[in-house]
Amino acid sequence: MSNAIRKYLIAGNWKMNKTASEGVDLANEIVLSLAHQTDVSAVICPPFTALESCAKVLEGSNVQLGAQNMYPKAEGAFTGEVSPVMLRSLFCNFVILGHSERREYFKESDAFINEKVKAALESSLKPILCVGETLEEREADKTLEVIKTQLSGGLAGIDVENAEPIVIAYEPVWAIGTGKTATPEMAQEVHAAIRKELASIFNESVADHIRILYGGSMKPENASELLDQPDIDGGLIGGAALKAKSFIELVEIARQKV
Ligand code: PEP
């Protein structure tokens, strides 16, 4: 990352892993190592059921809390859903939105994800908006087209003055949980295109402030080269975030570049 105005962000997406007490154990190990560092934004995103117990572990530390999803209404008859207000009350600062697993298994559309992005911002939650192409789309040379559609759909109607807290995660679907990583050059090409698109949706200054994370089998072994790319501002980490050692190592690798 060449641009000093953006702070690296390493976010762990625990997905549907860890009970509340297992989450406390993992959060404790992470806090022991990372509580005092401020060079890099370190965020853990446990499942809903572990948010409250993890929030207690993170209290007073510099490790922040995020959720993996939310419903775009403050309250009401939406059985099984969780609101941004509820997440804020548990001291969440971030929320992952539009993850490819939600797009695929729960048929979330760009329009629905857009409602969530807006509702998150209204509640002062920083959305981590995930975008990314499938293998089929990449092979059909449609990567940039897909990303543009996901960005313009997901960010529609957001005022430029509210946009800076947004985080984008570029996650090529074919690289998630597969062990296949985009090469740093492949990732950089898409990250640069995302930043260009953000400049056209908002403006250049906002685009320069928005952090763009890479996600897809990122681990300590491949992180350094990815983080060296000028438009890669951190990582959204799945598998490697479930072990304290690798998550801490990823934050340390980012710190060394500051
Ligand atoms: C993810 O699902 O956000 C992710 C990047 O997973 P993994 O690191 O396991 O590929």
Side-chain angles (χ1 to χ4, degrees):
M1 176 172 64
S2 62
N3 196 329
I5 56 177
R6 300 189 298 271
K7 188 173 183 175
Y8 278 117
L9 194 167
I10 302 290
N13 174 12
W14 293 6
K15 309 194 183 189
M16 199 174 72
N17 295 291
K18 306 290 175 191
T19 62
S21 69
E22 289 165 350
V24 165
D25 292 344
L26 178 53
N28 260 319
E29 278 190 78
I30 290 169
V31 163
L32 265 179
S33 291
L34 300 179
H36 302 296
Q37 73 80 34
T38 53
D39 302 330
V40 168
S41 305
V43 180
I44 58 168
C45 303
F48 290 135
T49 46
L51 284 174
E52 186 168 19
S53 56
C54 287
K56 289 186 180 131
V57 177
L58 303 190
E59 207 181 323
S61 85
N62 287 311
V63 181
Q64 300 181 73
L65 193 63
Q68 299 173 20
N69 184 32
M70 50 160 249
Y71 194 76
K73 294 275 187 275
E75 59 183 11
F78 302 102
T79 302
E81 294 296 322
V82 171
S83 82
V85 177
M86 293 167 180
L87 297 180
R88 282 299 294 165
S89 78
L90 294 179
F91 307 103
C92 282
N93 285 326
F94 290 86
V95 59
I96 299 170
L97 297 175
H99 190 279
S100 63
E101 286 149 17
R102 298 214 58 89
R103 291 177 189 263
E104 184 185 348
Y105 305 140
F106 305 99
K107 306 288 171 248
E108 290 195 6
S109 66
D110 287 322
F112 186 44
I113 295 163
N114 177 239
E115 282 185 52
K116 297 186 186 200
V117 174
K118 288 186 195 157
L121 289 169
E122 276 164 24
S123 288
S124 303
L125 281 165
K126 296 186 176 91
I128 302 178
L129 171 63
C130 302
V131 297
E133 82 286 5
T134 62
L135 185 59
E136 209 182 10
E137 289 161 344
R138 176 161 279 269
E139 285 172 347
D141 221 8
K142 290 200 170 139
T143 299
L144 297 185
E145 191 187 313
V146 168
I147 304 289
K148 265 188 161 186
T149 305
Q150 291 173 337
L151 285 174
S152 57
L155 299 173
I158 291 166
D159 292 336
V160 66
E161 62 269 24
N162 298 330
E164 268 186 31
I166 295 169
V167 177
I168 306 294
Y170 168 55
E171 302 205 306
V173 178
W174 49 270
I176 296 178
T178 58
K180 289 185 195 141
T181 330
T183 63
E185 294 72 28
M186 276 159 87
Q188 167 58 26
E189 188 191 354
V190 181
H191 280 235
I194 290 173
R195 201 169 310 282
K196 204 167 149 214
E197 190 59 22
L198 292 173
S200 98
I201 296 173
F202 301 118
N203 61 42
E204 243 169 68
S205 159
V206 168
D208 279 344
H209 281 84
I210 290 182
R211 291 179 284 190
I212 308 174
L213 315 182
Y214 172 77
S217 300
M218 193 164 170
K219 48 185 186 270
E221 295 74 26
N222 59 24
S224 181
E225 276 186 301
L226 286 160
L227 294 176
D228 277 339
Q229 302 301 310
D231 288 293
I232 300 187
D233 309 314
L236 181 56
I237 320 294
L242 291 174
K243 294 252 173 346
K245 186 171 178 287
S246 44
F247 183 75
I248 293 161
E249 256 178 77
L250 284 163
V251 174
E252 291 301 337
I253 290 166
R255 281 185 81 188
Q256 281 158 24
K257 303 195 181 285
V258 175

